[in-house]
Every structure is written in structure tokens, then in C-alpha cells.
Amino acid sequence: ERYPILLKKAVDLGDRLLFAYNTTLGIPLQTVNLLTRNAENPEWMGQRAILSEYGSVQLEFKTLYYHTGNHEYWRKMDRIMNIVVKAPGIK
């Protein structure tokens, strides 16, 4: 890689964010504290996830997979996209 220090930091961040995806459906919790490893969906959102949030971050994780070959990044994101694609009203 051209910038190994940036890749190392991206892997560190990605690895520390993955726990937020350990939900029943695999849709990530939106507010994450990297220090305490606590995660939740904010009250103002009615404890719901925002499609644009987890929809765009999946692109970043898939790019991280591309650069690292770590299949865990791809699997977590693929699970989300399968849910989105099968949602009512999506054609």
C-alpha cells in the first residue's frame, strides 16, 4: 500500500467499530464510544438506525476489505445490504 500508516489506522478504527454491528439484525448501533465500547441508537431517533448512515459506512468497510482482505468487514456489510434489498418497497 502507498500509505501504510493510514491503512493501519483505518484497520484499527474499523476493528474498534465492528462490535456495533453485533445486533440481532446486524444493523449497527449509531452512537459508538470507542473507549468504553458502548453503543446505542440515540433517543432522538426513537432508538432506530438511519439508512443513510449505515448505508454509506458500508462503502468504507468494503473499501477496507479491499485493502486488507479481511472478510469480516465484507460479511458484516453484506448482511446489512441483504436486509435493505429485501425490505418492503425496495425493487
Side-chain angles (χ1 to χ4, degrees), residues 25 27 50-52 54-55 58 77-91:
L25 292 176
I27 295 174
I50 298 174
L51 174 61
S52 63
Y54 64 83
Q58 63 95 20
M77 300 313 115
D78 202 40
R79 182 175 181 199
I80 293 168
M81 293 315 296
N82 285 332
I83 291 169
V84 171
V85 169
K86 293 175 184 174
I90 303 293
K91 295 183 181 187

Side-chain angles (χ1 to χ4, degrees), residues 2-35:
R2 188 170 176 187
Y3 301 102
I5 189 69
L6 295 179
L7 181 58
K8 182 179 178 182
K9 290 187 177 292
V11 167
D12 176 54
L13 180 59
D15 289 348
R16 291 192 292 150
L17 286 171
L18 279 180
F19 79 93
Y21 291 81
N22 295 335
T23 63
T24 304
L25 292 176
I27 295 174
L29 299 168
Q30 304 293 299
T31 302
V32 176
N33 183 319
L34 296 174
L35 182 63

Side-chain angles (χ1 to χ4, degrees), residues 46-76:
Q47 301 301 317
R48 295 183 181 101
I50 298 174
L51 174 61
S52 63
E53 178 73 23
Y54 64 83
S56 63
V57 78
Q58 63 95 20
L59 296 173
E60 295 159 355
F61 271 100
K62 286 183 176 181
T63 300
L64 194 54
Y65 158 76
Y66 173 81
H67 289 285
T68 65
N70 183 340
H71 291 276
E72 188 65 17
Y73 301 139
W74 186 272
R75 278 192 290 272
K76 297 256 187 194

